């Protein structure tokens, strides 16, 4: 995690996130989203293996409405099979559901009483307050995580990479609680879990053994790390341990890197070297990466080329103009970049809502974009970018793609990114999983 929340004021400088995003303008449509009378199961039922027609929708804000046919959970280019269920979209815009590439659902107080926070001056202070908050919670991790994760679904999230703290203070309660929530939501949300050593891998004895246990138990998809130099003060020891666990158990790596300047670049080089040495290309992610935005163009190009060569993915939470990753430049080198929520109403910050459309809005806000293609590109980072980081197919509404999409009232995609309207209908694998902003349990 990081100690700073996204700034509420616009940044002074402007950075183009991506180039060439296609924007289709349309007109505002009216009408309610409702299931047409009677053909198959109820609109709340899981619809994989069934045929559904979403009638009168405008993909990406196209001017002319069309029908979106779903068969066996995938978008189809064929006619609707006989007896297919029909859902009336009322002329709404259809957009791909989004991916939260970095979130901490185990820490959240979502749905509970207000928590007053105290001053903190660094990661160690936040970590201490994490433990205090965990001990004060009457609701178990599984309940709190489920509340936040189901809320994310209702806001149009199709998948998330969930970081759960692993430390002697918690044992494996965090990963087990998030895993329980994942199981309850398996019909509506794809989840990868990272065993995250927020308290440090080396500086907190017993953490390494817990990481190994989590990997051996098969409850996590990735092993995490945190600031090998600035926080753990053991660059080689931490990275050797984290990468060793991942290599032994055939899982991935996702390391928090807040260190800036030379400390951050040294850690990045260590990560790149170990990815290459262990043939872990495509299975390593670095989160936040605050050391990259301040690099000169030539320095950034050199690091990005190495990241691209080893297929190391990056994630950002768009905390500010000076710390958001230079996404367009990184993508020039084939680097996968995703967007995430980070912490949501936890001991680190009272802010956050697990709404990835709002996070795409914040990405545009802090980078001071104003052109339609730039606003559409912010949405693309939250949709395709996050899917790339998690290794998921794009839910781009093309034939053969997963039928993971939302229906919203709006005029066009850029306007939707700015206004963040209610998600009137959320569809996952062809099944309606949320309606009118509410999760259908």
């Amino acid at each position: 995690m990081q100690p700073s929340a996204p700034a509420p004021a616009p940044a002074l400088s402007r950075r183009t996130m991506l180039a060439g995003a296609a924007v289709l303008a349309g007109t505002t449509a009216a009408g309610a989203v409702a299931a047409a009378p009677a053909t198959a199961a109820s609109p709340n039922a899981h619809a994989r293996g069934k045929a559904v027609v979403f009638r009168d929708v405008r993909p990406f804000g196209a001017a002319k409405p069309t029908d979106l046919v779903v068969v066996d959970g995938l978008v189809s280019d064929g006619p609707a099979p006989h007896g297919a269920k029909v859902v009336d979209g009322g002329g709404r815009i259809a957009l791909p559901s989004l991916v939260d590439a970095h979130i901490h659902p185990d820490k959240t107080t979502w749905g509970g009483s207000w928590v007053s926070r105290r001053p903190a001056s660094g990661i160690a202070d936040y970590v201490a307050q994490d433990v205090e908050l965990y001990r004060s919670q009457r609701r178990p991790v599984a309940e709190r995580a489920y509340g936040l994760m189901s809320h994310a679904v209702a806001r149009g999230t199709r998948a998330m990479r969930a970081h759960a703290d692993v430390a002697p203070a918690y044992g494996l309660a965090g990963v087990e609680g998030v895993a329980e929530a994942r199981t309850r939501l398996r019909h509506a949300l794809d989840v990868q879990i990272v065993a995250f050593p927020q308290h440090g891998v080396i500086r907190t004895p017993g953490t390494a053994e817990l990481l190994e246990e989590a990997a051996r138990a098969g409850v996590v998809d990735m092993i995490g790390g945190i600031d090998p130099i600035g926080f753990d003060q053991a660059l080689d020891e931490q990275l050797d341990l984290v990468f060793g666990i991942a290599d032994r158990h055939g899982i991935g790596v996702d390391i928090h890197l807040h260190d800036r300047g030379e400390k951050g670049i040294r850690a990045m080089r260590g990560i790149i070297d170990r990815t290459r040495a262990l043939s872990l290309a495509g299975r390593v992610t670095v989160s936040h990466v605050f050391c990259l935005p301040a690099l000169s163009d030539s320095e950034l190009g050199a690091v990005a080329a190495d990241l691209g060569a080893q297929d190391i993915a990056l994630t950002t939470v768009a905390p500010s103009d000076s710390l958001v990753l230079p996404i367009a430049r990184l993508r020039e080198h084939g680097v996968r970049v995703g967007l995430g929520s980070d912490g949501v109403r936890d001991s680190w910050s009272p802010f956050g809502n697990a709404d990835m459309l709002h996070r795409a809005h914040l990405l545009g806000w802090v980078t001071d974009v104003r052109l339609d293609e730039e606003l559409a590109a912010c949405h693309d980072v939250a949709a395709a970018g996050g899917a790339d980081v998690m290794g998921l197919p794009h839910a781009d509404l093309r034939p053969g793609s997963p039928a993971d999409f939302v229906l919203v009232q709006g005029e066009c995609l850029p306007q939707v990114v700015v206004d963040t309207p209610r998600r009137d209908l959320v569809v996952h694998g062809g099944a309606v999983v949320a309606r009118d902003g509410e999760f259908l349990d």
Side-chain angles (χ1 to χ4, degrees):
M1 291 185 66
Q2 59 170 26
S4 57
L12 296 177
S13 63
R14 182 175 165 277
R15 182 178 295 135
T16 300
M17 304 306 301
L18 296 168
V23 179
L24 300 174
T27 58
T28 302
V33 176
T39 50
S42 80
N44 301 351
H46 185 45
R48 291 191 191 276
K50 302 182 185 299
V52 186
V53 179
F54 294 87
R55 181 161 294 163
D56 191 26
V57 300
R58 297 186 293 121
F60 293 96
K64 184 178 179 181
T66 188
D67 291 347
L68 197 60
V69 179
V70 175
V71 179
D72 294 336
L74 303 177
V75 176
S76 173
D77 59 354
H82 178 71
K85 174 184 169 64
V86 176
V87 176
D88 181 11
R92 284 170 170 76
I93 296 177
L95 294 173
S97 298
L98 303 181
V99 176
D100 195 327
H102 187 104
I103 188 170
H104 294 261
D106 65 312
K107 295 176 183 284
T108 192
T109 63
W110 187 269
S113 301
W114 178 255
V115 173
S116 298
R117 293 153 184 88
R118 304 192 312 276
S121 59
I123 292 177
D125 284 351
Y126 288 107
V127 164
Q129 292 183 29
D130 276 343
V131 175
E132 293 175 15
L133 183 60
Y134 171 78
R135 290 173 176 168
S136 72
Q137 292 296 298
R138 296 182 178 180
R139 297 179 299 151
V141 172
E143 181 182 335
R144 291 184 284 113
Y146 175 81
L148 181 65
M149 293 159 70
S150 60
H151 167 79
V153 172
R155 296 301 183 268
T157 293
R158 63 182 281 233
M160 64 172 53
R161 181 172 290 175
H163 295 254
D165 282 12
V166 169
Y170 318 114
L172 297 183
V175 295
E176 290 169 348
V178 174
E180 183 177 332
R182 172 173 64 180
T183 298
R184 290 181 64 186
L185 290 164
R186 62 186 178 274
H187 66 292
L189 183 68
D190 297 319
V191 181
Q192 294 174 355
I193 301 176
V194 184
F196 174 46
Q198 177 77 82
H199 297 191
V201 179
I202 307 303
R203 68 183 282 158
T204 305
T207 300
E209 291 78 7
L210 287 168
L211 293 175
E212 184 81 45
E213 182 181 348
R216 185 169 53 247
V219 71
V220 299
D221 305 280
M222 312 190 87
I223 294 294
I226 181 170
D227 295 323
I229 300 176
F231 187 62
D232 232 2
Q233 299 179 3
L235 173 64
D236 292 330
E237 190 177 358
Q238 182 192 128
L239 293 183
D240 286 347
L241 194 150
V242 167
F243 275 82
I245 294 174
D247 186 46
R248 282 193 298 278
H249 296 280
I251 58 180
V253 172
D254 192 329
I255 294 180
H256 283 55
L257 185 58
H258 312 95
D259 281 345
R260 308 182 198 185
E262 180 58 26
K263 288 181 181 179
I265 295 302
R266 281 179 57 203
M268 283 296 300
R269 288 296 177 193
I271 291 167
I272 292 168
D273 290 345
R274 285 162 177 81
T275 303
R276 182 187 299 113
L278 294 172
S279 299
L280 290 177
R283 299 171 69 180
V284 175
T285 301
V286 189
S287 296
H288 302 308
V289 212
F290 292 161
C291 59
L292 292 187
L295 295 179
S296 68
D297 188 66
S298 61
E299 291 170 331
L300 177 62
V303 175
D306 288 339
L307 292 171
Q310 296 305 314
D311 195 14
I312 295 173
L314 307 179
T315 64
T316 184
V317 299
S320 68
D321 178 62
S322 63
L323 294 178
V324 69
L325 290 175
I327 298 172
R329 188 78 171 92
L330 290 163
R331 283 189 164 183
E332 289 174 7
H333 292 273
V335 180
R336 295 173 288 134
V337 184
L339 184 65
S341 294
D342 206 14
V344 179
R345 299 191 191 180
D346 52 23
S347 69
W348 293 59
S349 173
F351 293 99
N353 56 18
D355 183 338
M356 285 304 298
L357 182 58
H358 181 245
R359 185 61 52 165
H361 170 104
L362 287 175
L363 177 62
W365 182 286
V366 301
T367 53
D368 198 22
V369 304
R370 56 187 295 271
L371 304 181
D372 281 1
E373 58 266 29
E374 295 170 336
L375 289 163
C378 291
H379 184 274
D380 184 69
V381 173
D388 289 341
V389 169
M390 288 188 62
L392 301 173
H394 291 185
D396 54 14
L397 306 181
R398 296 182 182 182
S401 68
D404 297 346
F405 57 89
V406 300
L407 298 185
V408 297
Q409 291 277 17
E411 181 178 353
C412 58
L413 175 54
Q415 175 259 323
V416 168
V417 172
V418 170
D419 288 346
T420 63
R422 183 183 69 179
R423 284 15 67 94
D424 292 338
L425 205 71
V426 180
V427 177
H428 187 78
V432 176
V433 294
R435 189 186 298 278
D436 298 332
E438 296 295 328
F439 179 65
L440 302 176
D441 198 352

